[in-house]
Amino acid sequence: MFQVVLSIQAGRVRPSVLLRKLGTYNRRSLHYRAFREIGRVERTLFLLRFIADTDIRRTIRAETTKIEAFNDFLDWVSFGGPLIKSGDPVEQEKQLKYASLVANAVMLSDVADMTTTLAAMDGDGHVVTPALVGCLSPYTREHLRRFGQYVLDMGDLPPPREPQPLPFETAA
C-alpha cells in the first residue's frame, strides 16, 4: 500500500490507471487484494463507530427517515404507487422524472404556504422557534385532491411571491 501511495505521489502511477486496474476485479492482483482488505477494515471501523456512537446512529436514522418519507410521498403523488408500468427504460425515466417534478412542485407550494403562515403567526405575536418549524413537514397531503374535477382559471393569477426569512430570534 505504501508503494502505491509513494508511486502516486511521485507521479509514476496515475490514479486513473490504478482505478482501471482495480476495476477488473482480478483476485490474483496484489493491488486488488490490498484495497479489498482496506475496504473491509474501513467498513468494520465504521460499523464499530456506528454501534458505539449514538449521535452517528441518530443522524443516519434521521436522514434515512427523510429519504423514506420523500419516497412514500413520491409514490402517493404518482398515483400508481411504486410500480412503473412500462418496460421501456426511456419511458421509465420519463415517468420517474415527471413524478419527481410533481412531488417537488407540491412540496415547494407547501413550503411557501407554511412560510406565509409562520410569518402571519409571528405578526400576531406568536413565538416561532426552530423546534416548531422542525415539526413541520413539506409532505402534507390533506389539502390535495388527487382525484376529482379541477377548474383551471388562467385569469386568476396569484400575487407575486415576496420571500421573507423565517422569524427566528437571532442570538446576539
Side-chain angles (χ1 to χ4, degrees):
M1 289 308 303
F2 289 119
Q3 288 176 341
V4 171
V5 171
L6 293 174
S7 296
I8 290 173
Q9 284 181 343
R12 290 191 303 264
V13 175
R14 302 182 75 196
S16 59
V17 172
L18 184 61
L19 288 173
R20 192 168 38 249
K21 284 183 178 183
L22 292 173
T24 61
Y25 301 109
N26 183 355
R27 296 190 185 278
R28 291 181 298 177
S29 166
L30 292 177
H31 288 123
Y32 174 81
R33 288 191 291 184
F35 278 98
R36 182 186 64 195
E37 293 307 316
I38 286 178
R40 288 178 177 169
V41 168
E42 190 63 34
R43 185 173 46 240
T44 302
L45 289 174
F46 172 78
L47 289 173
L48 290 172
R49 280 194 304 266
F50 179 80
I51 290 168
D53 192 347
T54 56
D55 288 337
I56 290 176
R57 287 196 309 274
R58 190 174 297 121
T59 301
I60 291 173
R61 182 180 175 103
E63 295 306 316
T64 304
T65 303
K66 288 179 192 175
I67 293 167
E68 289 171 353
F70 174 75
N71 287 332
D72 183 46
F73 184 70
L74 185 66
D75 289 345
W76 185 83
V77 166
S78 63
F79 295 99
L83 299 176
I84 297 178
K85 291 143 189 77
S86 173
D88 180 21
V90 174
E91 197 60 34
Q92 290 174 349
E93 186 176 1
K94 285 181 190 176
Q95 289 176 7
L96 289 173
K97 284 183 178 180
Y98 178 74
S100 181
L101 177 68
V102 170
N104 282 300
V106 170
M107 289 183 334
L108 178 62
S109 175
D110 287 347
V111 169
D113 291 343
M114 285 188 283
T115 303
T116 302
T117 303
L118 290 170
M121 287 174 58
D122 184 56
D124 291 342
H126 298 285
V127 178
V128 178
T129 63
L132 172 70
V133 175
C135 295
L136 301 175
S137 170
Y139 306 128
T140 57
R141 306 170 189 190
E142 292 79 23
H143 65 290
L144 299 175
R145 290 186 300 165
R146 288 176 52 191
F147 307 107
Q149 186 175 11
Y150 289 90
V151 177
L152 184 62
D153 181 7
M154 296 304 284
D156 183 23
L157 297 176
R161 284 280 177 200
E162 297 176 9
Q164 299 173 355
L166 290 174
F168 295 145
E169 297 176 12
T170 56

